[in-house]
Amino acid sequence: MSSKDWLEKDFYAVLGVPKSASPDEIKKAYRKLARDLHPDRNPGNKEAEEKFKAASEAYDVLADDKKRKEYDEMRSLFGSGAFRRGARTGGGGGAQFDPSDLFGGFSGAGAAGADRRFGGSGFSDIFSSIFSGGGAGGAGPARRGPQRGRDVETEVTLDFAQAVRGTTLPLTLRTPGACDTCRGSGAKPGTTPRSCPKCHGTGLISSNQGSFSFSEPCRDCQGSGSIVDEKCPECRGSGGVTKTRTINVRFPAGVADGQRIRLSGRGEPGDRGGPAGDLYVQVKVRPDDLFGRSGDDLTLTVPITVAEAVLGTDLRVPTLDSPVTLRVPPGTPSGRKLRARGKGVVRKEAQAGDLIVTVEVQIPAGVTGEARDALEKFAKLTPPPARERLDARLRRAG
């Protein structure tokens, strides 16, 4: 997500909480929205799906103390909606405000153009320099120390039973990692990088733009603060190579289709000793050929005969564990729901869901012989259905 997105979106409003909301209040608000808007409860509802994605996006930022602090600082400095194209400045001249105006008239699409200009470091590095004392009247640019690794996203498809019960699966990822030959320095073994003479090892070059003082990565050393004269033959001076790694991921019981799981510190390794990024796993769940799911409840449709519906019967049905027997009362209509408590999704620290069984009375396509005689006798011996209001309307209609 770009900083432009952060400035345009009011995540507090999306979750319906005040800016002063505590982490528990934010979590509670998100859980309520996720439960009400989840695609399982709103099949085919695109509006609910978009709101569910927006709530997940808002919670991802506000539930992370570091991201929330940066988000609050950005919106406080530039104002909510400041990066919307076409917003007018307060100078009375009616000038169009564009994010590129802040950064020397970059061409391109706002944040994306800035990201290309800064070699991928983008808005976040610029804002970090402002908030760390690099602005007007500040103490100058902060030294670029260890950098956090990038977040990694992947997708996993689970069987229905795996999602309901929970499972642990190995994930194989191909992501950048530190070069083993040079141990991430980028220099040929036996040599060491030297301090960049242009930025004096800070990795940043300061420049003034109006009333603001901004810092951008040094182009000579690409923001690293050091120059590699003899490059490592393995990584060609980058300090990193693409590696294949396998990690075991635990999917909790009750994980739902479309859910996004965050694994802290399992993303790309950090630069120059910085912390690793996070791994985000998007979950897809294959539908089951027998069971459905509604929240933490499992659903099942079972056909019964006319005689079973009229006389009642004991119905033996499967669950994800052992079968259970449900009593079908005499005179049960088609579509009636029976409940097997605790036979649904069992999640840690949450009440177990139920198995909801819907009975459907199956009508024979045609009967002959003794079966037909028995039905005709049955029809004569049973009272007709109550159609008084229907008959009255027919009489009025002539």
Side-chain angles (χ1 to χ4, degrees), residues 54-240:
S56 298
E57 180 184 46
Y59 180 70
D60 180 55
V61 173
L62 299 185
D64 186 304
D65 291 340
K66 183 177 179 181
K67 291 181 181 179
R68 182 180 180 183
K69 181 180 179 182
E70 185 177 355
Y71 170 73
D72 289 341
E73 287 177 335
M74 288 182 186
R75 288 177 63 86
S76 175
L77 179 62
F78 292 103
S80 59
F83 275 20
R84 283 197 298 270
R85 188 174 295 276
R88 298 191 178 276
T89 62
Q96 297 278 328
F97 182 84
D98 188 274
S100 62
D101 295 337
L102 284 174
F103 305 101
F106 300 156
S107 61
D115 283 345
R116 289 192 294 272
R117 170 70 179 272
F118 291 133
S121 54
F123 284 161
S124 59
D125 285 339
I126 300 170
F127 288 134
S128 296
S129 69
I130 295 173
F131 301 138
S132 62
R143 181 183 178 89
R144 282 174 60 88
Q147 300 295 303
R148 180 180 182 274
R150 294 183 180 180
D151 294 338
V152 176
E153 291 195 18
T154 188
E155 184 178 292
V156 171
T157 300
L158 303 180
D159 291 333
F160 187 86
Q162 289 177 320
V164 171
R165 293 170 174 162
T167 187
T168 299
L169 294 178
L171 293 185
T172 300
L173 305 172
R174 285 181 57 81
T175 57
C179 175
D180 294 329
T181 302
C182 65
R183 296 185 179 182
S185 70
K188 180 180 178 180
T191 66
T192 57
R194 59 184 173 88
S195 178
C196 175
K198 186 171 184 179
C199 65
H200 305 290
T202 65
L204 297 171
I205 300 295
S206 297
S207 60
N208 294 319
Q209 305 237 350
S211 59
F212 289 96
S213 176
F214 294 98
S215 297
E216 62 177 306
C218 174
R219 297 182 182 179
D220 285 13
C221 64
Q222 302 299 315
S224 67
S226 59
I227 300 292
V228 176
D229 293 315
E230 296 185 67
K231 296 181 179 180
C232 170
E234 180 68 24
C235 65
R236 298 180 182 180
S238 67

Side-chain angles (χ1 to χ4, degrees), residues 303-390:
I304 61 174
T305 66
V306 174
E308 288 174 329
V310 173
L311 301 177
T313 186
D314 289 330
L315 194 63
R316 187 171 171 81
V317 298
T319 70
L320 288 181
D321 298 313
S322 56
V324 296
T325 300
L326 299 175
R327 179 60 185 169
V328 179
T332 293
S334 185
R336 182 168 182 174
K337 298 183 185 300
L338 308 176
R339 185 181 297 268
R341 297 196 177 277
K343 294 300 182 180
V345 178
V346 180
R347 291 190 295 142
K348 186 178 180 181
E349 299 178 357
Q351 184 176 354
D354 301 331
L355 172 64
I356 309 298
V357 177
T358 302
V359 295
E360 286 188 352
V361 179
Q362 208 167 52
I363 307 298
V367 292
T368 59
E370 292 182 4
R372 183 177 182 87
D373 294 340
L375 278 176
E376 289 175 348
K377 184 176 180 181
F378 173 78
K380 291 177 182 179
L381 295 175
T382 55
R387 298 175 180 167
E388 292 83 358
R389 286 186 290 181
L390 177 63

Side-chain angles (χ1 to χ4, degrees), residues 298-309:
L298 298 182
T299 60
L300 177 65
T301 300
V302 179
I304 61 174
T305 66
V306 174
E308 288 174 329

